[in-house]
Amino acid sequence: MEKAGFRFQAHRGDSAFYPENTLVSYKAAIDQGYDVIELDNKFTADNRCICLHDGTYNRTCRFDDGTAFVEKTPSDALTLAEAKKLDAGLFKGEEFRGTRIPTLAEALDFIGSNSTLAVKLDNVFQSFNQVRFEEFCRVVKESGLGRRVGFTCKTFPYMLHLAEIFPEAEIHYDGSLTPFVLDWIGRNVKERATVWIPYDNKATAWCKERKADAEFCAELHNYGKVGLWLIAEVEELRRSVREFGADIIETNGTLKPGALELI
């Protein structure tokens, strides 16, 4: 089955099989035919924007000799030069030894130079102070990716702000779906908006927001495209497309774009 305009989004790149938020996982997503790469950002002590999901290096980084961090180490406890010495691949396997943390600029340049994929930046930028938020926006603007970049917003003020700063960018919203917010999306950014809601499965069990159902998704289509996360099985994909009418789904890499042919 094919659905015109349907897109597969890779969660932190192909994070199921490759070290997340690295050029290795982004390349895997490109090679496998994904349409969108979602990535996360944090800042170092010297205010350089890097690709990292957690607030600390502890889970995904090791020292070059393979040893793990003993103390909790926030991203901004190290300078970029210090962060670049860490191994960001070993936690996923010896075959990824030597993988480094990319800066946001490096990631955008790599994806932009090696594909026509879109990039979706996760909503953690809402926690940045003003200096870091401005630096984050500067890097995105200087990437030259234009409408290929999208921003996930958790709150209305940030959605409004980014829609103004980046008039071509895709706006992804995964916050509280009040009538006011939905009305604003529908009237102002409908053609470039995606409203994200969780698919009801183990991966989203922690989320207290309303889960996807046919009626809810049909309603949301009045305001923009509908995105579902986090999809891992073919049956979940089948329901997402056939029953819920999803326009885009996010998967961590366990479900490949070719799976669309199976439904």
Side-chain angles (χ1 to χ4, degrees):
M1 175 182 178
E2 292 186 4
K3 181 182 178 184
F6 184 84
R7 298 192 293 173
F8 272 78
Q9 178 177 296
H11 183 63
R12 309 175 196 172
D14 182 346
S15 55
F17 301 102
Y18 298 85
E20 64 182 59
N21 280 316
T22 67
L23 300 188
V24 174
S25 66
Y26 303 154
K27 183 179 186 303
I30 292 170
D31 291 345
Q32 293 167 21
Y34 285 89
D35 306 293
V36 184
I37 293 177
E38 179 260 2
L39 53 87
D40 308 275
N41 300 118
K42 295 294 185 294
F43 271 89
T44 60
D46 47 349
N47 285 331
R48 297 295 299 278
C49 194
I50 59 174
C51 295
L52 185 73
H53 175 268
D54 297 3
T56 71
Y57 297 103
N58 295 59
R59 179 176 64 87
T60 60
C61 294
R62 304 288 182 268
F63 294 102
D64 262 352
D65 63 1
T67 57
F69 284 86
V70 175
E71 301 294 332
K72 183 178 180 180
T73 307
S75 66
D76 58 2
L78 303 180
T79 65
L80 177 62
E82 292 169 331
K84 281 288 191 179
K85 293 179 181 178
L86 301 176
D87 192 302
L90 273 174
F91 86 102
K92 206 67 174 178
E94 181 65 33
E95 65 269 33
F96 300 114
R97 177 183 287 275
T99 301
R100 303 300 176 187
I101 298 173
T103 64
L104 174 59
E106 290 169 341
L108 295 180
D109 179 67
F110 178 82
I111 296 169
S113 299
N114 292 279
S115 74
T116 58
L117 273 67
V119 176
K120 194 183 84 168
L121 302 168
D122 197 46
N123 60 34
V124 70
F125 56 75
Q126 296 189 193
S127 67
F128 298 160
N129 61 33
Q130 187 63 29
V131 170
R132 291 177 175 179
F133 181 73
E134 290 178 358
E135 172 64 9
F136 168 77
C137 291
R138 182 194 68 78
V139 171
V140 175
K141 287 182 178 179
E142 291 188 357
S143 72
L145 292 183
R147 65 185 59 190
R148 289 174 59 188
V149 175
F151 300 90
T152 305
C153 303
K154 193 74 175 176
T155 63
F156 177 75
Y158 267 90
M159 178 169 60
L160 178 63
H161 192 37
L162 283 162
E164 293 174 346
I165 297 174
F166 296 92
E168 292 186 326
E170 291 188 67
I171 300 298
H172 299 264
Y173 184 76
D174 66 353
S176 180
L177 296 174
T178 65
F180 172 81
V181 168
L182 288 174
D183 180 66
W184 186 91
I185 292 173
R187 287 187 295 105
N188 294 278
V189 293
K190 181 176 181 178
E191 297 307 312
R192 56 185 177 122
T194 300
V195 179
W196 284 86
I197 55 175
Y199 186 100
D200 191 6
N201 59 18
K202 290 182 179 180
T204 66
W206 60 271
C207 181
K208 303 305 181 184
E209 300 294 333
R210 180 176 173 180
K211 304 299 196 297
D213 61 54
E215 180 182 3
F216 190 30
C217 291
E219 176 188 352
L220 294 178
H221 272 115
N222 293 318
Y223 306 100
K225 297 180 178 65
V226 172
L228 300 184
W229 62 279
L230 186 66
I231 310 301
E233 306 290 342
V234 171
E235 180 55 35
E236 295 174 347
L237 176 62
R238 181 177 290 112
R239 289 194 71 202
S240 297
V241 175
R242 291 186 173 180
E243 185 176 340
F244 303 151
D247 301 288
I248 178 172
I249 61 102
E250 182 176 47
T251 175
N252 64 5
T254 56
L255 194 65
K256 307 301 181 185
L260 197 62
E261 298 177 1
L262 303 177
I263 67 172

